[in-house]
């Protein structure tokens, strides 16, 4: 019988739901030594926590994360709150000896992230950051193809993450759901919110970034602040693009914006190697486009691989070949890998230390954009 592992979740928004769903599903599809038990959910208001707990099956509620972290019956703290709360909660949870799953970006900046890494190292607690896109089967397959050497030497890495939901100048900043527009809560705009995903995937697939040159823009300079009621300066980057050189000698271009009318969550990446190229698109997430120059000329061309077969990453745990899975399953895979790591006594990736590397790239992007020159990325 799997051992119960008691989860204390902090935050009940978008990610609170995505993670709760993952904890529910994981034991149905993966054979694991541990079974997540939804022990408690924490929100600042009881009126919000109670209906969420009832809907998702949490046994109890807390309204102060410190009380949750102090509870003896909680094994794992899951941080699903805005970015400016991650460090304080994670460091508190580590001191209390809890396992920690923390939402991305790890922290507001590299300095905070470093303190979080030190806290989990000192406490020796299993930890992981929810860069979930790695665990979409087509993205995991991309990694497998690269590891097998099919692409050969990599020349180019190209990524975009495009949205269009903040174009209206009437949209306020701050508070519930709109904390992403408030630099005090988010730390940055699209850099930490969207590009951080692209960077995590890129570091995983193509290794470290050595130097970069970035530009950012804030198209709407002032917005009403929901918490103060006043019109205030906007401190986030609405759009960001950067060029970079990877340590392996390949060149990267990255772009993210919330001002690309018509695009909702268009995360794409393309990698061009000496022998082959791959392309992936979040809007078509179960497919991996693959071109191999070594194919016989008369049939050479881009293949669209439907990543749903039993021997594709993770797919043997789901339905029958040909039936696809979706966004939410990446979170299920992440919980499964984390629990396998716990059973094996090793951290599943990306752990805090790995996520710090992404944070340091984000820091370098913002510095480069501010100072308008090429910037070396700290390797931590
Ligand atoms: N992995 C991903 O793909 C992904 C997607 C979306 C968001 N995120 C990350 O997840 C985190 C949360 O984002 P979200 O979209 O779920 O936000 P959200 O606004 O939907 O939910 C945030 C939740 O945190 C709660 N909260 C805020 N401060 C709190 C406090 N001090 N104590 C307890 N609860 C508090 C809010 O009430 C709300 O329930 C962010 O760090 C974000 O960057 C990651």
């Amino acid at each position: 019988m799997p051992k119960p592992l008691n989860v204390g979740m902090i935050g009940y928004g978008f990610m609170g739901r995505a993670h709760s769903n993952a904890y529910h599903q994981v034991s149905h599809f993966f054979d694991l030594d541990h079974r997540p038990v939804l022990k408690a959910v924490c929100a600042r208001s009881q009126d919000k926590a109670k209906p969420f707990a009832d809907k998702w099956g949490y046994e109890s509620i807390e309204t102060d994360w410190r009380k949750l972290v102090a509870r003896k019956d909680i094994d794992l703290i899951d941080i699903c709150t805005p970015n400016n709360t991650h460090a304080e909660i994670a460091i508190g949870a580590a001191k209390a000896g809890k396992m920690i799953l923390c939402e991305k970006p790890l922290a507001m900046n590299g300095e905070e992230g470093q303190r979080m890494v030190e806290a989990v190292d000192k406490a020796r607690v299993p930890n992981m950051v929810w860069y979930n896109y790695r665990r979409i089967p087509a993205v995991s397959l991309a990694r497998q193809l690269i590891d097998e050497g099919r692409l050969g030497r990599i020349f180019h890495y190209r990524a975009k993450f495009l949205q269009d939901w903040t174009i209206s100048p009437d949209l306020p900043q701050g508070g519930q759901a709109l904390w992403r527009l408030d630099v005090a809560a988010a730390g940055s705009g699209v850099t930490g919110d969207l590009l951080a995903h692209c960077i995590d995937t890129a570091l995983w697939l193509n290794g470290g970034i050595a130097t970069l040159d970035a530009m950012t823009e804030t198209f709407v300079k002032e917005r009403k602040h929901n918490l103060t009621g006043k019109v205030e300066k906007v401190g986030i980057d609405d759009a960001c693009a950067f060029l970079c050189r990877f340590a392996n000698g390949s060149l990267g271009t990255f772009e993210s914006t919330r001002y690309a009318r018509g695009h909702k969550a268009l995360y794409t990446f393309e990698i061009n190697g000496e022998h082959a190229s791959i392309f992936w698109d979040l809007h078509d997430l179960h497919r991996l486009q693959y071109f191999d120059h070594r194919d016989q000329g008369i049939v050479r061309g881009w293949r669209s691989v439907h990543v749903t077969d039993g021997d594709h990453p993770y797919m043997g745990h789901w339905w029958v070949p040909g039936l696809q899975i979706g966004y939410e399953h990446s979170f299920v895979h992440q919980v499964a890998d984390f629990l396998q790591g716990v059973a094996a006594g090793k951290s599943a990736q990306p752990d805090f230390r790995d996520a710090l590397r992404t944070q340091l790239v984000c820091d370098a992007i913002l510095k480069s954009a501010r100072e308008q020159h090429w910037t070396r990325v700290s390797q931590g």
Side-chain angles (χ1 to χ4, degrees):
M1 278 292 283
K3 293 189 273 287
L5 188 137
N6 293 338
V7 175
M9 159 95 66
I10 309 176
Y12 58 88
F14 176 19
M15 283 303 108
R17 290 163 60 233
H19 298 190
S20 300
N21 176 60
Y23 295 127
H24 274 295
Q25 294 296 341
V26 73
S27 304
H28 298 141
F29 293 92
F30 290 78
D31 294 325
L32 299 162
D33 288 359
H34 293 93
R35 179 176 52 85
V37 174
L38 301 186
K39 206 69 184 169
V41 62
C42 171
R44 288 160 299 176
S45 126
Q46 187 155 342
D47 295 348
K48 297 280 170 49
K50 183 74 174 68
F52 186 90
D54 291 345
K55 186 174 213 167
W56 287 94
Y58 283 86
E59 292 175 18
S60 59
I61 62 168
E62 292 291 347
T63 51
D64 181 347
W65 66 263
R66 289 169 192 82
K67 285 201 178 140
L68 181 72
V69 162
R71 271 173 59 165
K72 296 247 178 320
D73 62 345
I74 297 292
D75 300 313
L76 182 154
I77 293 291
D78 189 353
I79 304 169
C80 299
T81 47
N83 308 345
N84 61 335
T85 63
H86 293 183
E88 191 185 12
I89 298 175
I91 293 168
K95 281 188 181 149
K98 309 298 186 197
M99 303 177 194
I100 308 167
L101 293 181
C102 181
E103 257 307 341
K104 52 60 58 182
L106 177 65
M108 297 284 274
N109 51 51
E111 183 272 322
E112 247 191 31
Q114 182 63 43
R115 285 194 284 116
M116 294 166 79
V117 169
E118 284 161 15
V120 291
D121 279 357
K122 188 168 175 208
R124 297 168 148 265
V125 288
N127 56 91
M128 191 167 66
V129 177
W130 291 94
Y131 281 113
N132 56 301
Y133 291 109
R134 290 186 185 198
R135 289 175 166 90
I136 288 177
V139 177
S140 304
L141 179 62
R143 167 75 191 242
Q144 186 182 323
L145 299 181
I146 292 167
D147 285 352
E148 288 171 4
R150 288 174 190 254
L151 275 69
R153 180 178 165 196
I154 307 286
F155 298 122
H156 294 287
Y157 193 104
R158 216 169 283 116
K160 287 189 185 135
F161 206 139
L162 312 179
Q163 299 185 336
D164 73 351
W165 63 282
T166 63
I167 294 177
S168 167
D170 298 333
L171 191 71
Q173 59 172 317
Q176 192 76 19
L178 292 169
W179 60 266
R180 279 179 175 77
L181 281 77
D182 177 5
V183 74
S188 66
V190 295
T191 298
D193 196 34
L194 305 178
L195 274 180
H197 277 300
C198 305
I199 295 162
D200 173 75
T201 316
L203 300 187
W204 188 55
L205 295 178
N206 198 36
I209 293 175
T211 56
L212 59 80
D213 192 13
M215 63 176 173
T216 56
E217 184 53 71
T218 305
F219 295 117
V220 177
K221 312 275 188 218
E222 292 185 327
R223 292 182 186 273
K224 189 179 147 214
H225 201 295
N226 273 331
L227 301 181
T228 63
K230 294 188 190 133
V231 173
E232 292 186 15
K233 187 169 178 265
V234 174
I236 59 157
D237 44 303
D238 288 335
C240 175
F242 72 96
L243 307 173
C244 68
R245 289 182 183 279
F246 284 85
N248 67 4
S250 59
L251 303 182
T253 64
F254 291 73
E255 183 193 2
S256 186
T257 180
R258 294 183 183 133
Y259 287 69
R261 187 59 92 199
H263 293 305
K264 303 303 168 191
L266 188 70
Y267 175 16
T268 57
F269 65 78
E270 177 166 319
I271 309 173
N272 307 125
E274 163 189 18
H275 306 304
S277 291
I278 50 185
F279 174 80
W280 178 78
D281 170 358
L282 176 57
H283 286 189
D284 203 10
L285 59 83
H286 50 276
R287 288 187 177 277
L288 190 67
Q289 311 291 334
Y290 179 73
F291 177 95
D292 197 327
H293 183 69
R294 291 161 301 188
D295 288 345
Q296 194 190 3
I298 55 165
V299 290
R300 189 187 295 143
W302 281 91
R303 308 174 202 174
S304 174
V305 182
H306 197 229
V307 187
T308 57
D309 225 323
D311 51 5
H312 284 136
Y314 299 106
M315 290 309 297
H317 292 275
W318 297 98
W319 314 114
V320 296
L323 300 188
Q324 64 212 37
I325 58 171
Y327 172 74
E328 70 272 28
H329 301 84
S330 61
F331 296 93
V332 180
H333 300 160
Q334 188 144 6
V335 177
D337 288 346
F338 178 78
L339 293 178
Q340 273 158 6
V342 168
K346 53 181 185 200
S347 233
Q349 299 294 309
D351 59 9
F352 278 23
R353 185 169 289 283
D354 199 23
L356 176 60
R357 293 189 189 102
T358 293
Q359 197 73 51
L360 293 172
V361 177
C362 292
D363 281 10
I365 291 169
L366 298 174
K367 181 170 189 285
S368 166
R370 221 172 25 244
E371 298 177 0
Q372 300 193 13
H373 56 65
W374 278 86
T375 301
R376 189 157 290 284
V377 178
S378 164
Q379 302 301 317

